[in-house]
Amino acid sequence: MKLEPHDLEKISGFTLEHYDKAAEDFWAGTRDHDVSQNIAALLQYIEGAPPFQILDLGCGPGRDLKAFAERGHIGIGLEGAARFAAMARAYSGCEVWQQDFLRLDLPESRFDGVFANAVLFHVPGQELPRVLRQLHATLKPGGVLFSSNPRGRNEEGWNRGRYGAYHDLETWRRYLSAAGFVELTHYYRPAGLPRDQQPWLASLWRS
Ligand SMILES: C[S@@+](CC[C@H](N)C(=O)[O-])C[C@H]1O[C@@H](n2cnc3c(N)ncnc32)[C@H](O)[C@@H]1O
């Protein structure tokens, strides 16, 4: 079923409202999440000399933005929820752009890496090709995209007040390849558990 412009507005609007309303609880529940494996994976594949310019897409309250800054890199956050954007600025001291994933306005060839931790599943499949092309264009040639998403069987829709799309590896690969990305690697999280207890699919892509 085709999503019309008013459907897309609802998807962004309600999802962002959900995060805005739960901002403090979300921060309390996620500030200690250990995603150092994902941060290290992104940094490992970026070529050239640090410091790197990193776009933390959907940075939330700023946990990972601060981690990039502490490692000496230049992190810029992008976040749609106003409260998260303010929290991320205060917590990380980094610049944070308040933007909707479905109305991105990004500079060309600016970033060495894009870190999209638990965010791209909020983009409806219909809009994903366009959003991925925009991320490809904001990376420098040879730049790296990191993405981690809850995986599924390619279903999408509303889930407790937020819109989500849950892709399997094959479908995710098709989207990324069509946008011009080349796969570097992928893995499942949390590490060390049987596959059926690893809901997260992490993947790395070169532009
Ligand atoms: C599951 S949270 C992940 C936050 C952070 N990356 C982390 O790992 O803790 C998803 C993030 O995407 C943001 N988001 C969801 N839909 C968005 C949209 N349409 N535009 C901009 N940000 C959006 C939310 O506000 C939230 O910060």
Side-chain angles (χ1 to χ4, degrees), residues 141-207:
V144 180
L145 168 67
F146 168 86
S147 148
S148 177
N149 286 319
R151 62 203 175 92
R153 297 194 175 120
N154 307 313
E155 61 276 27
E156 72 177 81
W158 291 98
N159 182 359
R160 288 173 291 152
R162 306 176 305 172
Y163 193 91
Y166 305 91
H167 308 289
D168 62 18
L169 176 60
E170 287 63 41
T171 304
W172 190 241
R173 279 178 165 153
R174 272 201 296 278
Y175 276 117
L176 274 286
S177 305
F181 286 99
V182 175
E183 186 174 348
L184 292 165
T185 191
H186 72 273
Y187 53 88
Y188 296 92
R189 273 176 55 90
L193 294 178
R195 184 59 45 81
D196 62 358
Q197 292 168 42
Q198 293 179 311
W200 294 93
L201 170 62
S203 55
L204 287 118
W205 305 85
R206 196 170 299 287
S207 68

Side-chain angles (χ1 to χ4, degrees), residues 11-13 15-16 19-20 26-27 30 33 35 56-64 78-81 84 99-102 104 115-123 162-163 200:
I11 285 171
S12 287
T15 301
L16 291 173
Y19 280 109
D20 248 337
F26 181 90
W27 187 217
T30 59
H33 278 187
V35 296
D56 187 348
L57 187 78
C59 63
R63 179 197 61 218
D64 305 328
L78 187 150
E79 174 54 53
F84 278 168
Q99 289 190 27
D100 180 348
F101 297 158
L102 301 185
L104 289 173
F115 188 70
N117 194 67
V119 296
L120 285 174
F121 74 104
H122 285 311
V123 176
R162 306 176 305 172
Y163 193 91
W200 294 93

Side-chain angles (χ1 to χ4, degrees), residues 4 7 62 67 79 100 111-112 164:
E4 301 296 339
D7 299 316
E79 174 54 53
D100 180 348
F111 294 101
D112 300 293

Side-chain angles (χ1 to χ4, degrees), residues 53 74 76 95 97 107-112 137-140:
Q53 299 265 347
I74 300 143
I76 293 187
E95 192 177 342
W97 301 337
E108 295 274 314
S109 301
R110 161 77 179 268
F111 294 101
D112 300 293
T138 203
L139 281 164
K140 295 175 186 168

